Amino acid sequence: MMKRNAHTDPMIGYAIFYLVFLYGPVLLLPLFSFNDSIFVAFPLKGFTFQWYVAMATNDALIQALTNSLKVGISASVISTILGILAAKAMTRYRLPGRGPVSGLILLPLVIPSIILGIALLVLALNVFKIEPSLYTIVAGHVLICVPFAMLVMMSRLEGFDRNLEEASADLGENGWQTFWRVTFPLAMPGIVASLLLCFTTSFDEFLLAFFLAGNEATLPLFIFSQLRLPNQLPSVLALGSCILGVSFLVVFLSERTRRVGLQRKPTATAEAAS
Amino acid sequence: MVSASETLPSHAMPPLPAGQRLRAWLYRNEAVRGYLLLSPTLLVMVGLMVLPLLGMLAMSFFTQKYVTIDYSFTLDNYWTIFEPSSTPAYFLGIPFYLHKPIYLLLLFKSILISLASTAAVVLLAYPMAYFLAFRVTKHKMAWLILITVPFWTSYLLRVFAWKIILGYNGVINSGLVSLGIIDKPLEFLLYNPFAVIITLAHAWAAVAILPIYVSLEKIDRSLLEAATDLGDSRLERFLRITLPLSLPGTIAASLLVFIPTVGDYITPTLVGGTSGIMIGNVVQSLFSKGNNAPLAAAVSVVSMMTITIMVCIFLWSVGRSRMTRREI
């Protein structure tokens, strides 16, 4: 995996330290989720599955999970469609004002979401008199997912040869046919990656949901409400471990898909640094 | 390079009816077609972001009258935030002449906490990104995925993990007690600004790695070879070539961490305690418990302005220093 003289390199020590820092706290969740004690403390008591059983039989949790799935799927589909349109326009046309426009679409990435949440709630409540619901959460999540979707789709659309599209046009296809028969299949891995990325973003998003939720809670809101109740903590740990496992799987799959068919660029050699 | 539109068969054979001419013009005009394609996304961004932000700006000039909002224009909310008074409030020994210093003080404190977290994130991430760019030769992708996976797991739970590490009956305390190093759990670990900083430093770690890694990866390795050939030591080579060339990525990383963390709400709520409150908590409590949306909006506007001005000054000074260096 490393260079042959890696064992003499102090950098590898740092890399290991960094991974421990990164994963240590996260891996405490599964560790204590199997601990047969209501307290999250050392020393560990016996091994148990009871917190997973308690989690699986919690109706409020199942309801929150269902809500999160609904919101996540809706938000990721809508954002990905908007992202494809924007990315196609950005990468295929010479647009006057391209910079400011892409800046506008990417702006939610750098505005604290508490401000976006309050702004959306103020507008929804005071101007449009819309009551917060799962729909308002979807709207908020679409706002923060569109930048991700556009970035993923732009890198994918720039990654394949646009001569293919021109050839299709030369052969007499109109723009729409070219899109369906050439662009869409080539962009498919990017679309899947965008859907997964937007879904995980929405699934994990707390603050906008916190402001824009009506009576129905999403999973992060449910977890947040449980964190105040000490006797619920082990079940939250069990739930967290499941989310951790699924996230790992999703990230792995999305990375695999995003890379399928992309031309491999020769990576610069690290010889110069040695 | 001939663009796609110019190679398309032209249907604009005059004279044609006006409707068809318009269609033909739309068909040929790249900018129009581009913006037509962009319009749904732009409409959504305007509706969900620009309008709400303008609405919030407008709201900050109104006043809350118990349950209703008085829609007459006033600067009262801004006065509440900025109004000077004769008795100074002290923060870190610096006097602030503010009537209600709490909002500006908390904004100032949030910025300090956020800057400290950003510094921690970037200082920790830089060597790791360097390791990835210059030392790892195989399985770079596997390493990158390994580093980004914790970022895609629940933010709430990553923050919560620090609560169970630093808590009174937490992992560190129970570990130290069961090892016999201390008799009684330490109380100072959780619920302070330091707990907020370390938690933010952990939660945002992966965000900083990627931009720094990309800028390091882009460095032309022959420059480094040339420097070695010309007698530069490893340190000189790093300071004179690698570091300056990786500056854009490092700046991007700093901004990507700094801007969102100023407004963070979860971390201060879970691990901050009363001394670790940040501006996001104040805005939230003004909005909900305080039932004062106009003041919450004004505090949000002032916070966003402050962050924007800071970022602009930062980028401007970086740009200046780079320009002067090029002249030398």
Side-chain angles (χ1 to χ4, degrees):
Chain A
M1 199 145 170
M2 297 292 99
K3 284 190 318 182
R4 249 168 292 153
N5 63 344
H7 58 280
T8 59
D9 192 344
M11 292 293 294
I12 185 88
Y14 182 79
I16 290 167
F17 156 79
Y18 193 82
L19 287 180
V20 170
F21 169 68
L22 219 52
Y23 278 86
V26 176
L27 291 179
L28 283 174
L29 305 176
L31 178 69
F32 282 103
S33 72
F34 294 111
N35 187 28
D36 191 7
S37 162
I38 195 93
F39 299 109
V40 182
F42 285 117
L44 294 168
K45 305 278 190 292
F47 181 89
T48 178
F49 276 116
Q50 61 164 310
W51 310 122
Y52 286 87
V53 175
M55 178 192 84
T57 51
N58 188 331
D59 288 338
L61 188 155
I62 306 293
Q63 189 54 48
L65 179 67
T66 320
N67 288 340
S68 265
L69 289 174
K70 282 184 202 162
V71 170
I73 291 170
S74 322
S76 56
V77 170
I78 298 170
S79 320
T80 300
I81 292 171
L82 294 173
I84 294 171
L85 295 175
K88 168 110 168 116
M90 290 284 175
T91 52
R92 290 295 184 264
Y93 297 100
R94 273 169 304 184
L95 292 179
R98 185 180 190 271
V101 168
S102 75
L104 176 78
I105 297 176
L106 296 178
L107 204 56
L109 288 178
V110 291
I111 297 180
S113 38
I114 192 159
I115 289 177
L116 291 176
I118 286 190
L120 273 167
L121 185 58
V122 163
L123 195 76
L125 284 183
N126 293 289
V127 181
F128 294 112
K129 312 284 178 207
I130 302 167
E131 281 304 307
S133 66
L134 288 185
Y135 293 104
T136 49
I137 302 181
V138 171
H141 286 183
V142 165
L143 174 64
I144 55 162
C145 286
V146 164
F148 288 121
M150 186 179 80
L151 286 178
V152 169
M153 290 315 299
M154 275 175 75
S155 72
R156 181 72 203 180
L157 292 180
E158 275 162 1
F160 67 77
D161 194 348
R162 69 176 58 185
N163 286 329
L164 291 169
E165 286 179 342
E166 289 181 15
S168 158
D170 287 346
L171 292 169
E173 298 270 40
N174 65 29
W176 195 236
Q177 284 169 321
T178 300
F179 178 76
W180 275 117
R181 296 176 57 174
V182 179
T183 315
F184 187 71
L186 280 169
M188 201 56 207
I191 293 170
V192 174
S194 164
L195 285 172
L196 289 174
L197 186 58
C198 293
F199 181 81
T200 38
T201 305
S202 162
F203 198 75
D204 187 31
E205 205 287 326
F206 171 78
L207 261 183
L208 286 170
F210 184 57
F211 282 104
L212 299 170
N215 299 321
E216 296 175 283
T218 60
L219 200 57
L221 294 178
F222 172 79
I223 295 174
F224 190 73
S225 69
Q226 300 296 295
L227 292 183
R228 292 147 195 259
L229 313 166
N231 60 338
Q232 292 295 326
L233 285 191
S235 286
V236 174
L237 293 179
L239 176 61
S241 311
C242 294
I243 296 176
L244 191 73
V246 174
S247 302
F248 195 93
L249 205 68
V250 169
V251 172
F252 180 74
L253 287 178
S254 75
E255 275 303 317
R256 285 284 296 261
T257 345
R258 199 163 69 81
R259 258 137 240 292
V260 171
L262 267 189
Q263 266 193 327
R264 249 169 215 231
K265 293 192 184 108
T267 43
T269 53
E271 251 59 77
S274 57
Chain B
M1 180 78 194
V2 183
S3 82
S5 65
E6 281 155 344
T7 62
L8 292 173
S10 170
H11 299 305
M13 291 293 208
L16 283 170
Q20 261 176 300
R21 279 222 303 276
L22 180 69
R23 277 193 57 187
W25 177 74
L26 286 178
Y27 194 59
R28 275 179 305 143
N29 192 310
E30 241 186 290
V32 173
R33 283 199 296 156
Y35 271 104
L36 273 180
L37 208 53
L38 255 178
S39 55
T41 317
L42 278 180
L43 275 176
V44 167
M45 296 318 274
V46 169
L48 293 180
M49 182 176 64
V50 179
L51 285 183
L53 288 179
L54 290 177
M56 196 174 74
L57 184 66
M59 178 64 87
S60 71
F61 296 115
F62 303 147
T63 14
Q64 185 82 38
K65 292 274 188 300
Y66 303 103
V67 287
T68 54
I69 287 167
D70 176 1
Y71 289 102
S72 49
F73 179 90
T74 168
L75 286 171
D76 280 359
N77 297 313
Y78 291 95
W79 274 115
T80 311
I81 300 171
F82 285 107
E83 195 173 12
S85 79
S86 48
T87 39
Y90 287 91
F91 183 73
L92 297 174
I94 307 159
F96 284 91
Y97 291 91
L98 300 162
H99 178 56
K100 285 185 179 169
I102 180 162
Y103 306 114
L104 280 191
L105 279 184
L106 279 168
L107 177 60
F108 187 57
K109 193 176 81 178
S110 306
I111 288 171
L112 282 184
I113 289 179
S114 195
L115 281 176
S117 314
T118 309
V121 169
V122 172
L123 288 177
L124 283 168
Y126 196 95
M128 188 66 200
Y130 186 89
F131 172 78
L132 282 172
F134 289 104
R135 294 291 197 271
V136 178
T137 45
K138 287 183 195 165
H139 306 294
K140 272 188 198 245
M141 212 52 235
W143 274 92
L144 281 172
I145 292 176
L146 198 62
I147 283 165
T148 42
V149 161
F151 181 65
W152 294 118
T153 61
S154 169
Y155 184 79
L156 202 55
L157 291 169
R158 271 179 288 151
V159 174
F160 173 62
W162 283 97
K163 190 176 171 156
I164 64 176
I165 291 174
L166 299 172
Y168 187 77
N169 289 314
V171 171
I172 290 182
N173 274 329
S174 60
L176 289 177
V177 169
S178 66
L179 288 173
I181 296 169
I182 50 173
D183 316 322
K184 212 162 78 75
L186 308 167
E187 281 182 44
F188 59 83
L189 294 176
L190 193 61
Y191 300 131
N192 60 49
F194 178 73
V196 177
I197 292 172
I198 189 171
T199 306
L200 286 175
H202 175 257
W204 290 84
V207 183
I209 288 262
L210 290 177
I212 301 176
Y213 164 76
V214 169
S215 66
L216 285 169
E217 188 72 58
K218 269 198 276 186
I219 293 174
D220 187 351
R221 308 301 153 116
S222 57
L223 289 174
L224 297 170
E225 277 175 34
T228 315
D229 291 346
L230 293 169
D232 261 5
S233 72
R234 272 169 166 264
L235 184 67
E236 281 174 316
R237 205 175 56 182
F238 175 76
L239 290 176
R240 286 163 60 166
I241 298 173
T242 316
L243 191 60
L245 286 177
S246 67
L247 211 56
T250 312
I251 291 165
S254 315
L255 294 181
L256 280 175
V257 177
F258 172 70
I259 298 170
T261 48
V262 180
D264 195 16
Y265 172 82
I266 297 173
T267 308
T269 307
L270 287 182
V271 302
T274 45
S275 66
I277 286 178
M278 285 168 72
I279 201 72
N281 307 70
V282 176
V283 171
Q284 198 275 331
S285 71
L286 272 178
F287 193 80
S288 59
K289 288 178 220 133
N291 188 29
N292 195 341
L295 187 56
V299 174
S300 303
V301 170
V302 171
S303 310
M304 265 183 66
M305 292 295 196
T306 314
I307 299 170
T308 312
I309 292 169
M310 281 186 67
V311 168
C312 289
I313 292 175
F314 174 69
L315 289 177
W316 177 75
S317 60
V318 169
R320 259 184 81 88
S321 70
R322 282 164 70 83
M323 252 147 58
T324 43
R325 208 174 35 242
R326 212 171 299 145
E327 280 155 20
I328 295 164

